[in-house]
Amino acid sequence: MSVVTVQLGQCGNQVGQELFGIICSDAQEGQRKTYSAASCERFFHQTAHGDFVARAVLIDMEPKVINHSMTKAATSGRWRYGDTSHFSQKQGSGNNWANGYCVHGPRHREVVEELVRREVERCDRLAGLMAVMSVAGGTGSGVGTYVTQCLRDIYQKSFILNHLTWPYGTGEVIVQNYNSVLTLAHLYQLSDAILVHENDTVHRICSQLLNIKHISFSDVNRVIAHQLGSVLQPALTADSHGAYSRNPLGELVSTLACHPEYKLLNVCTIPQMPSSSIAYSTFSWPGLLKHLRQMLISNSKMEEGIDWQVRPPAGSEQTRSLTGASFNTSLANLLILRGKDVYSAETDGFEDPALYSSWLSSKEAFNLWKSPVPFNKYEKSATLVSNSQALLRPLDNMVGKAWNMFASRAYIHQYIKFGISEEDFLDSFTSLEQVVASYSQLC
Amino acid sequence: MTQSVVVQVGQCGNQVGCRFWDLALREHSHVNKKGLYDEALSSFFRNVDSRKGDGRTCGVGGRIQHLKARAVLVDMEEGVVNEILQGPLREVFDSTQLLTDVSGSGNNWAVGHMTYGSAYREQIVEKLRRAAEHCDCLQCFFLIHSMGGGTGSGLGTRVLSLLEEEFPEVCRIVTSIYPSAEDDVITSPYNSVLAMRELTEHADCVLPVENQSLVDIVSKIQHMSHGAKPGQVIRRDSAIISGRGGLSAAEKPFDAMNNIVANLLLSITSSARFEGSLNMDLNEIAMNLVPFPRLHYLVPSLTPLYTLADVSVPTRRLDQMFSDAFSKDHQLIRADPKRSLYLACALMVRGNVQVSDLRRNIERLRPSLPFVSWNQEGWKTGLCSVPPVGHSHSLLALANNTCVKPTFVELRERFTKLYRKKAHLHHYLHVEGMEQSCFSEAIASLGSLIEEYHHLDATKGTLMPDAPRLSISR
Ligand SMILES: Nc1nc2c(ncn2[C@@H]2O[C@H](COP(=O)(O)OP(=O)(O)O)[C@@H](O)[C@H]2O)c(=O)[nH]1
Ligand SMILES: Nc1nc2c(ncn2[C@@H]2O[C@H](COP(=O)(O)OP(=O)(O)O)[C@@H](O)[C@H]2O)c(=O)[nH]1
Ligand SMILES: [Mg+2]
Ligand SMILES: [Mg+2]
């Protein structure tokens, strides 16, 4: 089954390009025929000449980024984007969600729908749609939300996953928290699951784990693509009976996003290190999993500075205590192990009921995918996708900052100009406060 | 790619505008070695094939034929425009882009705004439309004018409201030259206050520049280049003050000052003209820097101004550039943003500067800069990879900061001094369409603007509690 990716805005088109790059080179590495075939079917179609063409649609309101991503893909020599699978305009959305959602989105609805439809028709079977974008700008956030809404209408039975890049805390777009609030509140009603990468976290991984001095967006995007790729590449699931699962998005959604109030998924991957060091390092599954588990429960998003003091609340007592405050409660977790000796890896630590909310048994709450094929040069690698309180604090911050700004009505006129009212803002705030409340009451 | 059109009105507007075109040409010829008409050039220039004779614009990609500035030049006297037409920039404009009269506005806002505004309305609109038709995606109008005279101030602000009427979706960024206290135009306080009301109501952003600041900067630069200490040598080819742009040779009195303003325009448009790893679109400026529609005065500061960096840059120099942008003597109005309150701030960087340099410097400077409570992280940044000619990097900071208030207060005082005595008032009230109420409304508008800044200023230093969050009933 295949996934159709829709890349929107600058960030979406840059992250998407890195993602396809990593997926393609990973699939073509070494002799791994079935894995490779499953991956390709999922993300590429092959032309009569044997070219791998990404199952992707590229959307932006300005031409530069799309041109750049298409050129970069083509020069890889391994894969490319479809010659006619992109749509761009001349002038961006100016960091304004309302401009994207109310003006650009509706204006170009038909073209975009047609591009997606063509890509969908190329798939023998559609596993679902994935929209990739940032929440802070104007096009990815505004047009991305609008397009997600159109896709929801047309593909009512398909899975729709949104991959969102969250902004740096400061320094790029002043109205980023407004744009983020509007995007998230709307997507919460539309999307089956929302997979999040925070730029601050990924940036820290680049500097502290990968030792990169001058960090560029490409560096950040490679980390995102690595983590996302390790979720999306073929794996054996509990009931796929030794064959690669056919529906990555469907299984992801059904294992992790089982309740409409809880859709925010956080991803972490270990190990991550400079590629020059990989060859000299050895890893053991118990070591990796011990770290990853502690990262989960202490909510460290990176394998550095993990707080080893945090413990699950003792016994069956599940009420929130003061000491338990920094314990990160999960609703559901999906662990994906790739590489050597995966079958020997012990994952009991993740099945501990103390990790989970009381209303799902740990059997239902925990899922495990495995693949013996090493991923992206790492002999062993473990990725955890968790629906937990991991994103509660960043979400709460984002809503809080936007709310403070809204209290003085700063910048609102810029949105009203394009057709968004104060009421619309209030609705969005209300629905995100609901999400914040739901996650903080998770226990 | 998008295009912009420059509208230069009056003596000052046209003189500053021409420095911009001159330096822009120099900048492009420095970067564009192949002689091809590229996207970068197309944002501010048309490429016209003169053989075809119909003045049609050639598409991007071909050889450069004849570059024509995307500009409309308006003046109500002939001197300045004639000089341009006899000078080295004459090729860049053709007669269809020009509009002149012979008798000038006599430093009277009312004559410019009312008399000429009505008489030339159709012709101005026609020229603006024609300039717009040459663009395939018009993003922004840049209006350049002075506040103190008659044409730029009066007719310039009339053009501004015409732009709003005719092209409501196109962003309007105005560069306004404010008179110094000793300005030779006696009526400049009237003209400036009358113009202010128009700017406050019809512009998307205003970049105020005070002549006194330009004078101070120029004299400091000249002082340094004469008594040059080692390490403080001003490079001769630096675009900041050198009048030797691409074309013009001799320097005129205002040239050194106008070059500084032209550099401001080069910087603010650099992201629209060249590539960069963090593009800042022109429509992002107002979106990020203007929290309330009337408070759209963005104080510019430019670095480097005094000491010019070597080509190979040790980090300290780069960091110094960021520090300088917040110091008093780099502001283009006489103001001290550090001691006032920031509503928002943009850093537009050119040259070999990385995102990590930006982040480091913002972190370093943030503690010393007061930001309004609801916008503690009010930073917008842009990186353009092409530096100004003769530099390895440069920085333009645009501060939406309450430090503009003293300039406005001072202007109001000068206005009141004249107005109390009704000095020269009859020259204005003679003019058809001009009434006493224009004065009272203009001063009221300025008063309420000052008041709005004042209210924000008063919140400085007080710790505002977070707004109580919406509570969710479960
Ligand atoms: N990780 C990552 N973030 C990006 C990239 N480009 C832009 N961003 C982030 O996206 C936000 C700005 O949105 P952008 O995608 O540029 O706007 P759009 O083109 O209008 O959708 C900011 O939070 C940036 O940090 C990228 O390539 N990678
Ligand atoms: N910086 C600068 N200021 C000028 C220039 N020409 C005139 N001014 C100032 O502009 C004001 C007079 O307006 P001016 O532009 O001459 O009048 P107009 O032709 O009627 O618009 C005074 O404050 C002058 O100091 C110039 O070329 N550069
Ligand atoms: Mg962008
Ligand atoms: Mg004059």
Side-chain angles (χ1 to χ4, degrees):
Chain A
M1 290 225 283
S2 309
V3 175
V4 170
T5 300
V6 184
Q7 312 180 166
L8 297 125
Q10 173 172 358
C11 180
N13 280 294
Q14 290 174 170
V15 168
Q17 186 269 326
E18 290 292 348
L19 175 65
F20 282 106
I22 280 179
I23 284 177
C24 186
S25 67
D26 176 60
Q28 291 177 7
E29 182 100 347
Q31 295 292 317
R32 32 173 90 161
K33 258 190 147 159
T34 28
Y35 178 81
S36 188
S39 165
C40 288
E41 186 202 356
R42 213 168 259 189
F43 295 104
F44 298 91
H45 66 87
Q46 251 181 310
T47 64
H49 306 294
D51 290 0
F52 285 96
V53 180
R55 299 185 188 277
V57 173
L58 296 76
I59 313 283
D60 205 350
M61 291 302 116
E62 59 104 21
K64 275 179 289 197
V65 177
I66 286 188
N67 290 341
H68 191 241
S69 287
M70 292 191 53
T71 310
K72 225 172 143 187
T75 51
S76 75
R78 295 171 184 266
W79 67 284
R80 60 179 173 84
Y81 284 108
D83 295 324
T84 55
S85 304
H86 57 95
F87 175 77
S88 66
Q89 288 288 295
K90 289 179 176 132
Q91 176 170 350
S93 304
N95 295 160
N96 191 329
W97 188 89
N99 192 7
Y101 182 81
C102 304
V103 181
H104 289 149
R107 187 180 291 164
H108 308 299
R109 175 182 186 148
E110 273 157 33
V111 195
V112 173
E113 285 180 354
E114 174 61 18
L115 286 176
V116 175
R117 197 177 56 77
R118 266 184 12 210
E119 224 39 70
V120 167
E121 281 173 2
R122 256 194 213 110
C123 305
D124 287 337
R125 281 171 63 203
L126 180 68
L129 299 150
M130 180 167 73
V132 183
M133 64 230 220
S134 66
V135 292
T139 300
S141 71
V143 178
T145 303
Y146 186 83
V147 167
T148 305
Q149 189 176 304
C150 297
L151 297 179
R152 179 81 292 164
D153 284 347
I154 298 173
Y155 305 97
Q156 294 182 3
K157 301 218 173 74
S158 299
F159 292 103
I160 299 182
L161 180 75
N162 286 80
H163 177 268
L164 304 183
T165 300
W166 281 18
Y168 286 102
T170 176
E172 283 171 296
V173 178
I174 293 179
V175 288
Q176 62 185 26
N177 296 311
Y178 279 165
N179 292 335
S180 305
V181 162
L182 292 163
T183 306
L184 284 167
H186 284 76
L187 288 182
Y188 229 80
Q189 313 301 321
L190 301 166
S191 187
D192 291 307
I194 297 171
L195 209 59
V196 174
H197 273 102
E198 297 165 85
N199 268 346
D200 280 314
T201 306
V202 182
H203 195 94
R204 265 187 283 127
I205 292 175
C206 288
S207 81
Q208 294 177 32
L209 298 181
L210 305 182
N211 296 327
I212 304 170
K213 282 262 148 43
H214 293 287
I215 300 163
S216 67
F217 270 136
S218 310
D219 298 318
V220 171
N221 295 347
R222 269 192 290 275
V223 172
I224 296 177
H226 174 76
Q227 300 199 346
L228 197 51
S230 74
V231 176
L232 295 172
Q233 281 290 54
L236 309 169
T237 65
D239 40 33
S240 67
H241 309 294
Y244 286 117
S245 98
R246 299 180 52 81
N247 190 344
L249 300 190
E251 301 209 16
L252 190 81
V253 169
S254 60
T255 57
L256 286 166
C258 44
H259 189 292
E261 272 297 308
Y262 300 91
K263 291 185 176 176
L264 293 175
L265 308 183
N266 182 59
V267 192
C268 16
T269 295
I270 63 168
Q272 301 220 284
M273 56 177 57
S275 52
S276 55
S277 318
I278 297 178
Y280 305 102
S281 314
T282 49
F283 310 104
S284 73
W285 284 117
L288 288 176
L289 294 177
K290 185 171 172 222
H291 280 214
L292 191 59
R293 178 178 185 272
Q294 193 63 24
M295 284 163 67
L296 169 68
I297 65 176
S298 67
N299 196 13
S300 336
K301 288 168 182 166
M302 168 172 92
E303 193 188 3
E304 174 90 26
I306 298 174
D307 182 351
W308 289 96
Q309 304 303 316
V310 180
R311 298 251 176 282
S316 60
E317 165 213 3
Q318 286 282 357
T319 48
R320 264 159 63 91
S321 64
L322 274 177
T323 47
S326 64
F327 171 77
N328 177 37
T329 306
S330 302
L331 180 65
N333 288 316
L334 167 62
L335 179 62
I336 302 157
L337 306 180
R338 299 181 182 276
K340 214 168 140 195
D341 307 328
V342 270
Y343 300 112
S344 68
E346 286 287 343
T347 57
D348 300 351
F350 291 89
E351 291 164 44
D352 180 354
L355 267 51
Y356 296 95
S357 76
S358 49
W359 33 279
L360 274 188
S361 75
S362 60
K363 244 202 166 63
E364 296 165 291
F366 177 71
N367 273 275
L368 179 63
W369 296 356
K370 289 180 178 179
S371 159
V373 179
F375 177 69
N376 200 21
K377 309 203 175 57
Y378 287 90
E379 178 203 61
K380 299 189 181 89
S381 114
T383 295
L384 185 73
V385 189
S386 78
N387 189 346
S388 68
Q389 296 171 313
L391 294 163
L392 175 58
R393 185 146 349 120
L395 177 66
D396 188 54
N397 277 337
M398 188 182 264
V399 175
K401 286 178 195 167
W403 183 248
N404 262 345
M405 197 178 252
F406 185 73
S408 64
R409 296 298 184 269
Y411 296 100
I412 298 300
H413 72 285
Q414 310 270 19
Y415 292 82
I416 289 180
K417 202 157 75 185
F418 291 105
I420 289 291
S421 66
E422 281 189 21
E423 293 289 288
D424 296 326
F425 270 95
L426 280 171
D427 289 345
S428 291
F429 279 116
T430 310
S431 62
L432 289 191
E433 290 290 7
Q434 183 66 57
V435 175
V436 168
S438 299
Y439 271 104
S440 42
Q441 284 153 15
L442 199 62
C443 62
Chain B
M1 281 285 258
T2 59
Q3 297 84 34
S4 295
V5 170
V6 175
V7 186
Q8 39 196 69
V9 188
Q11 175 187 332
C12 176
N14 279 290
Q15 287 177 173
V16 170
C18 286
R19 298 312 311 137
F20 167 73
W21 292 113
D22 192 22
L23 295 181
L25 278 175
R26 172 167 104 152
E27 201 166 272
H28 283 286
S29 67
H30 195 81
V31 177
N32 184 325
K33 304 281 186 212
K34 292 201 186 128
L36 294 181
Y37 179 65
D38 56 9
E39 295 273 8
L41 271 169
S42 81
S43 57
F44 280 79
F45 293 92
R46 295 192 295 134
N47 188 24
V48 176
D49 188 346
S50 45
R51 285 167 307 179
K52 293 202 182 113
D54 55 358
R56 282 266 307 282
T57 307
C58 315
V60 164
R63 294 211 64 77
I64 294 174
Q65 308 279 342
H66 259 104
L67 291 182
K68 295 283 179 199
R70 298 188 190 277
V72 175
L73 285 61
V74 179
D75 205 353
M76 292 295 109
E77 50 190 333
E78 293 178 308
V80 176
V81 172
N82 279 345
E83 213 174 300
I84 294 168
L85 292 181
Q86 282 150 25
L89 278 172
R90 65 181 170 274
E91 301 272 302
V92 181
F93 308 109
D94 62 46
S95 56
T96 61
Q97 294 170 259
L98 313 176
L99 181 69
T100 52
D101 195 315
V102 288
S103 41
S105 306
N107 291 325
N108 185 331
W109 184 89
V111 173
H113 200 82
M114 307 290 181
T115 314
Y116 289 127
S118 306
Y120 286 105
R121 186 198 157 98
E122 306 302 321
Q123 285 189 52
I124 292 171
V125 168
E126 206 262 323
K127 287 186 194 296
L128 293 172
R129 282 201 192 130
R130 184 191 289 260
E133 278 161 15
H134 287 309
C135 303
D136 67 346
C137 182
L138 172 58
Q139 180 161 47
C140 193
F141 284 107
F142 285 90
L143 176 67
I144 312 173
H145 73 144
S146 62
M147 299 292 281
T151 305
S153 177
L155 186 54
T157 53
R158 184 67 177 258
V159 170
L160 181 63
S161 57
L162 290 178
L163 288 174
E164 186 179 33
E165 262 170 50
E166 294 288 322
F167 309 92
E169 285 174 13
V170 182
C171 176
R172 296 173 299 279
I173 299 181
V174 186
T175 304
S176 301
I177 311 295
Y178 282 70
S180 61
E182 298 88 46
D183 199 84
D184 19 320
V185 178
I186 296 166
T187 51
S188 73
Y190 283 160
N191 298 333
S192 304
V193 169
L194 289 161
M196 276 290 290
R197 177 187 179 198
E198 303 294 315
L199 294 183
T200 301
E201 281 171 17
H202 302 294
D204 288 313
C205 299
V206 176
L207 310 172
V209 174
E210 273 184 291
N211 263 343
Q212 190 57 52
S213 299
L214 299 179
V215 169
D216 294 346
I217 290 169
V218 168
S219 68
K220 190 159 175 188
I221 292 174
Q222 277 161 354
H223 178 76
M224 279 186 168
S225 65
H226 290 136
K229 292 184 217 127
Q232 288 196 323
V233 188
I234 308 279
R235 283 237 297 277
R236 276 274 132 229
D237 61 346
S238 154
I240 299 280
I241 57 162
S242 165
R244 287 175 303 146
L247 298 168
S248 71
E251 282 192 34
K252 294 197 291 308
F254 277 117
D255 272 1
M257 288 160 70
N258 292 350
N259 278 336
I260 294 173
V261 187
N263 270 283
L264 156 65
L265 288 161
L266 288 179
S267 280
I268 202 170
T269 58
S270 62
S271 208
R273 292 180 297 129
F274 301 110
E275 298 266 304
S277 60
L278 194 63
N279 261 308
M280 182 159 167
D281 244 12
L282 290 167
N283 55 354
E284 292 172 17
I285 295 176
M287 181 66 197
N288 286 279
L289 293 180
V290 181
F292 305 108
R294 287 158 56 85
L295 304 188
H296 55 233
Y297 292 85
L298 310 178
V299 178
S301 66
L302 270 179
T303 60
L305 274 175
Y306 305 117
T307 50
L308 302 167
D310 300 330
V311 177
S312 61
V313 220
T315 323
R316 219 188 59 77
R317 284 269 179 83
L318 182 64
D319 288 5
Q320 188 60 44
M321 174 175 89
F322 283 90
S323 305
D324 285 347
F326 298 91
S327 86
K328 227 171 129 177
D329 31 343
H330 288 75
Q331 311 300 319
L332 300 193
I333 69 169
R334 285 167 310 143
D336 194 357
K338 263 189 185 157
R339 291 168 174 274
S340 304
L341 186 69
Y342 278 90
L343 308 184
C345 184
L347 301 178
M348 304 181 76
V349 186
R350 303 184 61 180
N352 181 24
V353 179
Q354 308 299 319
V355 181
S356 43
D357 298 320
L358 276 173
R359 305 196 70 76
R360 181 182 67 250
N361 280 290
I362 289 177
E363 286 314 315
R364 185 172 64 85
L365 293 162
R366 220 152 70 105
S368 62
L369 303 170
F371 270 74
V372 69
S373 64
W374 42 260
N375 211 8
Q376 289 289 310
E377 285 148 2
W379 295 87
K380 170 75 187 169
T381 51
L383 292 177
C384 166
S385 53
V386 178
V389 177
H391 294 260
S392 57
H393 44 53
S394 75
L395 166 62
L396 166 66
L398 295 176
N400 193 339
N401 189 298
T402 57
C403 70
V404 287
K405 197 182 66 178
T407 301
F408 295 162
V409 169
E410 203 184 302
L411 189 59
R412 179 168 65 178
E413 281 164 9
R414 278 190 261 152
F415 174 96
T416 313
K417 244 185 220 158
L418 288 180
Y419 194 60
R420 226 189 280 126
K421 293 183 288 188
K422 304 235 181 298
H424 307 285
L425 212 54
H426 59 286
H427 293 304
Y428 289 78
L429 298 178
H430 271 172
V431 174
E432 190 173 322
M434 191 69 190
E435 287 167 28
Q436 187 101 29
S437 63
C438 298
F439 281 86
S440 50
E441 281 164 25
I443 199 72
S445 160
L446 180 58
S448 73
L449 184 68
I450 290 171
E451 205 49 33
E452 285 168 56
Y453 282 112
H454 185 74
H455 275 307
L456 286 162
D457 229 1
T459 68
K460 196 185 133 195
T462 56
L463 209 63
M464 300 284 273
D466 284 346
R469 296 269 287 264
L470 287 173
S471 57
I472 298 299
S473 54
R474 296 221 57 171

